[in-house]
Amino acid sequence: MATDQPDRGLRGLPGGKQKYSAFALAKKAMNYHQDWQCAWRDAPPQSEYDVVVIGGGGHGLATAYYLAAVHGIKRVAVIEKGWLGGGNTGRNTTIIRSNYLWDESAAIYEHAMKLWEGMSQDLNFNVMFSQRGVLTIAHSEHELREMSRRVHAIRLNGIDSDILGPKEIKDFVPIINIDQNIRYPVMGGFLQKRGGTARHDAVAWGYARAADDLGVDIIQNCEVTGLRRNGRRIVGVETSRGFIKTRKVGCVVAGHSSVMAAMADIRLPLASRPLQALVSEPIKPVLDTVIMSNAVHMYISQSDKGEMVLGAGVDKYNSYAQRGSFPVPEHMIAAAVELFPVLSRLRMLRHWGGIVDTCPDASPIISKTDVDGLYFNCGWGTGGFKATPGSGHVFADLIANDRPNSIAAPYALDRFQTGLLIDEHGAAGVAH
Amino acid sequence: MLLITCPHCGPREESEFSCGGEAHIARPLAENNLTDAEFADYLFLRDNPKGMFLERWRHAAGCRRWFNMARDTVTHEIVEIYPMGNTPKSKAGKAAHADSWRRDTAAEAAAKPASKSRSKQGG
Ligand SMILES: Cc1cc2nc3c(=O)[nH]c(=O)nc-3n(C[C@H](O)[C@H](O)[C@H](O)COP(=O)(O)OP(=O)(O)OC[C@H]3O[C@@H](n4cnc5c(N)ncnc54)[C@H](O)[C@@H]3O)c2cc1C
Ligand SMILES: [Zn+2]
């Protein structure tokens, strides 16, 4: 059930912004790079917009961009309490794949994958999308069997997926230890060759610049403190920089979704938890793909700078503290060092946490609410970076038309009443 | 990393415990016939406050007993630890309990036998 080609709308900065290219780079070098245009304006909030998007992460910025590029909506603002991409967008381990179990998931993640494949051209911004493959490894008989079931389901949806044995894995990833007598032995795995990574900040910046080119106001350092309603209808947002009138509000605030929902007396099934990651000091290239282990809650890749990027599991209790608990990365590192002995003497350079909005079925919420004109896009939890373009694309469509399209429809909030859950715990809840 | 004082074993490090999420979610009785939407409050919807939170914990790698905790989700300060079946006694804990949207749900009212909850709703 692979999806059709998405409608990409206007592309490549039709609004007249200076384009980035090798030629432009050479030309500006003559001037010592003094006269580059700002990537986006520092827009002061206006008194009224057609749509206000709350949250300047990748999902919010993509939503604003597609509202302008695909739906032609002119007066759009993105309101961000901190800086662009300072939330989970700038904190994640950037793994992108579309190999999920259920049809509903295949539809949205593959929709996103198609948009990734061409995003740098669409936005005229190099998001460094690198389809280096994502290999998920199995450490037990049971996991291996579950994996083959998953691979068949994924293939039926027209999405690339291959099973690999330990020997093939060793050929593909020479630094991996396939000794069967370790705590988490490599018994097999499955590979999505079209999966990979992208530069997370570039995704936020690229969408921001392209949205700005189409007239979207990007307002940073502005916190939304209230959602003003008139009866059942949204009429505006209260912010730290004053009231802004609007009849449509899209909330894309990840870990703070429950806080935002409470402002409109809406309850969500979410739990906000820290998710942690770390990078090592940079070394020469040793890993040219992405490896994930669901049993360990480990995912590893090597950045273009040479740092080993390692992600850990989600903490077990709710927190808004934006830092995690030490035993979580410690457990992950213990297993990682055994699986990749080359890591054992590396020093850790940075370690951080982000607050992720986990949903009971490990699938997102893309939904209208009981308040007319108020929409939520949240619950992406530990794995929403990969969905950034697809999420923004279908959310913009929901806001513009006030009805979900076929990709977004299964993700409505009412699934927690009907029981039509999209249970992706096997594929999403533990790792990425 | 939390240092949690198990009411039975004393202070132990966080890794000995498992967290059971929001406390004080009473199971509605079948006889009270809730709608799907009302039942969803019990089954899926969760309090997720930024601030004081009442939650259940279990000393999984110790005495294996459950208890309740009032904890701030921003500072991680543990304000109170109190037994299962009780409500909090601290000022902050009491306020968190009283202010929770769950107190007003049909699902919570339906945790009491039908005659009682009906008369409560009627009155
Ligand atoms: C350590 C870690 C590793 C991860 N690894 C992966 C991975 O490998 N692959 C993957 O697919 N996903 C991964 N994820 C998940 C992924 O990062 C998120 O699902 C995704 O980035 C969410 O994007 P977003 O735009 O919705 O949220 P965010 O980028 O968090 O943006 C939300 C924004 O809302 C703003 N905001 C909040 N409240 C307000 C307010 N009141 N007013 C105004 N603004 C507000 C915040 O400041 C924030 O900038 C990881 C997450 C973490 C933390
Ligand atoms: Zn104990």
Side-chain angles (χ1 to χ4, degrees):
Chain A
M1 198 201 62
T3 49
D4 304 331
Q5 277 303 323
D7 173 6
R8 292 167 179 267
L10 302 169
R11 303 168 63 185
L13 308 183
K17 209 180 262 308
Q18 284 177 357
K19 297 219 164 73
Y20 294 161
S21 66
F23 175 71
L25 202 60
K27 196 173 150 213
K28 300 278 185 195
M30 317 280 257
N31 245 345
Y32 302 98
H33 297 289
Q34 292 298 307
D35 59 348
W36 284 104
Q37 199 178 34
C38 275
W40 56 85
R41 294 160 293 132
D42 187 11
Q46 292 174 36
S47 59
E48 185 177 355
Y49 289 97
D50 295 333
V51 181
V52 167
V53 175
I54 308 174
H59 289 229
L61 292 162
T63 303
Y65 169 72
Y66 291 117
L67 278 168
V70 176
H71 303 282
I73 297 181
K74 293 274 178 290
R75 299 184 310 161
V76 179
V78 177
I79 300 186
E80 165 57 48
K81 71 173 171 182
W83 66 95
L84 291 192
N88 295 337
T89 296
R91 295 166 187 270
N92 77 89
T93 50
T94 78
I95 299 170
I96 295 166
R97 59 189 179 84
S98 61
N99 51 0
Y100 281 68
L101 178 63
W102 299 106
D103 295 354
E104 295 83 354
S105 316
I108 195 160
Y109 291 106
E110 183 58 24
H111 184 64
M113 184 65 91
K114 295 214 168 93
L115 286 162
W116 280 114
E117 292 168 337
M119 190 194 289
S120 293
Q121 287 73 30
D122 290 352
L123 303 180
N124 177 242
F125 201 104
N126 184 3
V127 297
M128 297 165 74
F129 179 49
S130 158
Q131 292 179 294
R132 57 183 65 188
V134 174
L135 173 68
T136 307
I137 50 180
H139 303 290
S140 68
E141 273 303 329
H142 171 79
E143 241 195 314
L144 210 54
R145 272 192 225 124
E146 169 65 27
M147 200 170 262
S148 50
R149 174 207 180 202
R150 187 170 298 275
V151 163
H152 292 306
I154 294 165
R155 283 191 176 172
L156 284 174
N157 276 323
I159 294 168
D160 67 306
S161 192
D162 296 296
I163 292 249
L164 269 58
K167 291 244 159 50
E168 292 160 297
I169 290 178
K170 181 76 185 167
D171 288 345
F172 188 56
V173 188
I175 62 167
I176 205 165
N177 175 9
I178 55 165
D179 185 343
Q180 294 299 299
N181 292 317
I182 62 174
R183 173 65 186 86
Y184 293 101
V186 177
M187 299 185 68
F190 79 114
L191 172 67
Q192 182 176 23
K193 290 196 185 117
R194 285 162 65 239
T197 56
R199 170 86 201 279
H200 47 16
D201 296 325
V203 174
W205 300 336
Y207 273 122
R209 174 166 165 269
D212 177 273
D213 178 69
L214 296 173
V216 172
D217 279 357
I218 290 163
I219 304 161
Q220 301 182 67
N221 299 313
C222 180
E223 179 168 359
V224 171
T225 52
L227 298 170
R228 194 184 289 180
R229 286 167 290 164
N230 183 357
R232 280 195 36 183
R233 150 119 252 131
I234 196 92
V235 293
V237 295
E238 319 278 355
T239 80
S240 54
R241 290 165 73 177
F243 175 72
I244 298 172
K245 201 170 149 193
T246 183
R247 288 176 68 78
K248 286 189 175 188
V249 174
C251 295
V252 208
V253 293
H256 278 76
S257 297
S258 298
V259 176
M260 189 65 66
M263 292 178 192
D265 297 319
I266 292 168
R267 297 182 297 260
L268 299 171
L270 304 175
S272 294
R273 300 269 172 84
L275 184 70
Q276 303 178 67
L278 52 100
V279 295
S280 74
E281 58 192 325
I283 53 172
K284 290 261 167 68
V286 292
L287 184 63
D288 62 358
T289 186
V290 181
I291 314 283
M292 310 190 359
S293 157
N294 288 347
V296 179
H297 296 202
M298 175 208 72
Y299 28 104
I300 178 170
S301 63
Q302 187 169 20
S303 76
D304 292 352
K305 284 184 281 182
E307 302 158 331
M308 303 306 288
V309 182
L310 288 135
V314 67
D315 277 45
K316 59 187 168 193
Y317 49 87
N318 291 14
S319 170
Y320 286 86
Q322 212 136 254
R323 64 182 139 79
S325 194
F326 198 64
V328 178
E330 191 184 27
H331 162 79
M332 179 276 290
I333 290 170
V337 163
E338 210 178 25
L339 282 167
F340 304 99
V342 66
L343 301 180
S344 69
R345 283 195 272 170
L346 290 186
R347 278 166 298 191
M348 185 172 83
L349 210 61
R350 296 188 302 279
H351 164 222
W352 64 91
I355 301 303
V356 298
D357 40 342
T358 58
C359 211
D361 59 356
S363 286
I365 294 165
I366 305 170
S367 190
K368 296 171 69 161
T369 63
D370 289 341
V371 178
D372 291 337
L374 180 63
Y375 310 86
F376 268 84
N377 182 348
C378 58
W380 290 97
T382 61
F385 177 70
K386 64 176 74 65
T388 303
S391 158
H393 196 263
V394 301
F395 194 48
D397 185 82
L398 170 64
I399 295 172
N401 299 310
D402 194 42
R403 55 100 194 92
N405 63 21
S406 63
I407 299 177
Y411 294 98
L413 260 172
D414 67 5
R415 74 179 188 272
F416 299 101
Q417 295 175 16
T418 61
L420 273 174
L421 303 186
I422 306 162
D423 182 2
E424 285 291 356
H425 276 286
V430 280
H432 307 284
Chain B
M1 181 88 164
L2 303 176
L3 183 64
I4 300 173
T5 305
C6 169
H8 314 289
C9 313
R12 300 293 183 89
E13 68 178 48
E14 168 193 318
S15 48
E16 289 189 16
F17 297 84
S18 60
C19 181
E22 184 185 341
H24 310 299
I25 307 177
R27 186 183 171 87
L29 300 176
E31 66 197 55
N32 287 321
N33 288 325
L34 292 179
T35 64
D36 288 351
E38 289 167 341
F39 197 70
D41 284 339
Y42 159 75
L43 191 59
F44 289 120
L45 298 192
R46 289 294 174 264
D47 208 8
N48 187 23
K50 186 174 185 175
M52 194 50 57
F53 187 40
L54 308 180
E55 58 193 0
R56 297 169 307 162
W57 284 77
R58 189 166 72 103
H59 194 186
C63 64
R64 302 175 66 187
R65 285 200 263 181
W66 287 93
F67 54 89
N68 288 315
M69 186 191 285
R71 185 179 60 89
D72 190 300
T73 59
V74 179
T75 62
H76 290 186
E77 184 195 357
I78 298 171
V79 172
E80 184 183 353
I81 284 178
Y82 55 101
M84 295 307 284
N86 287 27
T87 50
K89 293 218 159 47
S90 61
K91 196 166 167 244
K94 265 188 187 152
H97 187 262
D99 296 346
S100 169
W101 53 268
R102 194 172 291 285
R103 301 292 89 79
D104 305 324
T105 57
E108 181 153 307
K112 296 176 198 96
S115 55
K116 256 176 137 180
S117 67
R118 224 180 275 130
S119 65
K120 196 182 159 203
Q121 275 168 3

